[in-house]
Amino acid sequence: MAEITVVTDDITTLEVDAVVNAANPGLRGGGGVDGAIHRAAGPSLAEECRALMSRRAPLDPGEVVATPAGDLPARFVLHAVGPVWGAAPPHVQDEQLAHCYRRGVALAADLGCRSVAFPNISTGVYGFPKDRAAPVAVAALREALASRPEVAEVVLACFDEENERLTRAALA
């Protein structure tokens, strides 16, 4: 099975095949990880997102789509729309969050990626409880990696020490 590592680092600087963006439903860029990825990738990422969204409705929680990565060291950005905490029953939101990680691994594999970096999806402004998100993410990744062995490395790029601690505990 793939190696899962946990770091507290800037996801935009990681040398992986794909980075996952904690995106909003319209892929418009924004704050947090989303804003950082859009700034680091340059204007071509916003252009790719606009073109993609001109052909479809906004994404639902749990959906993941890919674009080229612009100026990032990665080849692709996988835009995952996580749930906004409180918008649905907790068990539904757990499944939506898990789907972001499972679909992220599957899409990375479909694109020929051997390495992918994920942020702590939905644990920032979307308010998903960090202590609930970490075990959901780890379980979903383990499940996805078991069926997609071509993805050899997953980096969980935590924004803060609390997410890093909780994610490491979930991996133990």
Side-chain angles (χ1 to χ4, degrees), residues 22-25 29-35 82-86 120-130 159-160 163:
N24 60 61
V33 170
D34 191 19
V84 176
W85 187 250
N120 299 103
I121 298 169
S122 285
T123 65
V125 297
Y126 279 17
F128 204 104
K130 294 175 184 181
F159 179 73
D160 59 32
N163 268 319

Side-chain angles (χ1 to χ4, degrees), residues 1-2 105 141-149:
M1 186 179 317
V105 168
L141 284 170
R142 285 182 169 147
E143 176 187 337
L145 292 167
S147 64
R148 298 307 298 254

Side-chain angles (χ1 to χ4, degrees), residues 61-62 81-85 87 92-94 96-98 100 121-122 126-128:
V81 177
V84 176
W85 187 250
V92 171
Q93 295 196 292
D94 288 348
Q96 291 169 332
L97 183 62
C100 288
I121 298 169
S122 285
Y126 279 17
F128 204 104

Side-chain angles (χ1 to χ4, degrees), residues 4-103:
I4 301 174
T5 58
V6 180
V7 298
T8 299
D9 207 344
D10 179 352
I11 197 168
T12 68
T13 65
L14 299 178
E15 294 187 16
V16 292
D17 294 322
V19 295
V20 176
N21 179 21
N24 60 61
L27 304 187
R28 290 178 308 279
V33 170
D34 191 19
I37 287 174
H38 273 264
R39 285 188 299 277
S44 66
L45 182 61
E47 292 168 16
E48 292 284 350
C49 289
R50 275 193 299 276
L52 177 65
M53 295 312 294
S54 72
R55 300 185 301 270
R56 60 163 299 142
L59 303 173
D60 291 324
E63 284 191 85
V64 183
V65 296
T67 62
D71 295 335
L72 294 172
R75 295 183 356 226
F76 300 100
V77 175
L78 309 181
H79 305 271
V81 177
V84 176
W85 187 250
H91 70 281
V92 171
Q93 295 196 292
D94 288 348
E95 184 53 35
Q96 291 169 332
L97 183 62
H99 195 69
C100 288
Y101 289 93
R102 288 192 302 263
R103 182 67 187 131

